[in-house]
Amino acid sequence: KEFRIMIGYLCVYVVMYDAFQKVDGGTRGEGDLGDEHNPDDLRIEFYEWLASYENVTHHTLVGLQNIEDPKVVFGEMDIDNGGVVLLGEWCQYLAKKEVQANTMLGSFLNISTMVKEERHDTKKDSTIQAASSKDTTTTTNSTDTSPKDEAKKESALKPDCRFKGEAMVTLGTGVSQDARDFVDSFRVLGQENDEAKKLRNQEWDHCDFNSNGLISLAECDLWIKE
């Protein structure tokens, strides 16, 4: 379940990054490093935004469409008021706009928002319960649990959390070919059908290199590169 969501998130954020590249340094989102006057530095200056915001309106991302006042939008993106928009701020802004617009993509992205809020509340409750149990609990027999069992306990998604439909972003006409190729490589894995589930199980085995029932960040990174 988490694996499918992760695959979808990979593709969503690749498209967001693709749009970011088109603005940062005035590049085309195709691996170009910009020029000596406008280098890609993974942050968007205000002048870069003014010069290029109209070039990303066809990425099918709500936050980049129908912009009436680019100065106001830049201010909303610049969360820490640092005078530049960092990639994290860019993605956070775009995700928020999708959620606010109640789009299909927004309902998908909202999973992580709900999880963060619930985990924050759960962590506080667990701390209180642990402190109470410490005073009343006597010695108990320890039981061995597998990493997979522990993963289920710490899962970011509720057992009944089921995102219906394709866990994927729609590719607009402004998306670069590099980003399209990446998304097309994973698109079938994000679908909600039996064939996609079978393929995900196969890819899970490839991704879980040490066969411990969990996928680490390093394993995920290697799997994506392969």
Side-chain angles (χ1 to χ4, degrees), residues 60-118:
T60 66
L61 297 168
V62 170
L64 300 177
Q65 298 175 0
N66 302 317
I67 296 175
E68 297 181 357
D69 191 336
K71 183 177 181 180
V72 171
V73 173
F74 186 87
E76 293 180 14
M77 290 180 174
D78 184 16
I79 299 173
D80 65 358
N81 297 315
V84 296
V85 175
L86 304 177
L87 179 58
E89 293 175 318
W90 174 269
C91 293
Q92 185 174 339
Y93 170 81
L94 294 179
K96 181 180 72 173
K97 288 299 181 181
E98 295 292 337
V99 173
Q100 291 176 344
N102 197 30
T103 64
M104 178 63 77
L105 181 58
S107 64
F108 177 50
L109 291 169
N110 198 34
I111 293 174
S112 65
T113 301
M114 292 186 293
V115 166
K116 289 176 182 177
E117 293 175 349
E118 290 170 1

Side-chain angles (χ1 to χ4, degrees), residues 146-216:
S146 68
K148 193 170 184 178
D149 291 334
E150 290 298 326
K152 290 180 180 179
K153 295 179 182 178
E154 297 299 326
S155 175
L157 302 179
K158 288 183 174 182
D160 61 349
C161 180
R162 301 283 294 175
F163 179 79
K164 300 298 183 181
E166 186 181 4
M168 202 66 61
V169 59
T170 301
L171 298 179
T173 58
V175 178
S176 72
Q177 190 59 50
D178 282 349
R180 288 177 178 277
D181 290 343
F182 182 95
V183 172
D184 286 342
S185 297
F186 292 91
R187 180 176 293 281
V188 67
L189 297 174
Q191 296 175 353
E192 181 71 3
N193 56 57
D194 292 338
E195 180 61 24
K197 185 175 182 180
K198 180 179 179 181
L199 291 173
R200 280 197 302 276
N201 288 337
Q202 294 174 356
E203 290 302 320
W204 174 274
D205 292 336
H206 293 156
C207 191
D208 183 17
F209 293 98
N210 60 8
S211 301
N212 70 342
L214 300 170
I215 295 177
S216 67

Side-chain angles (χ1 to χ4, degrees), residues 23-27 32-41 45 47-48 51:
V23 179
D24 181 27
T27 66
D32 186 4
L33 295 179
D35 56 46
E36 61 181 333
H37 301 295
N38 298 293
D40 278 359
D41 53 6
E45 306 277 356
Y47 74 87
E48 291 177 317

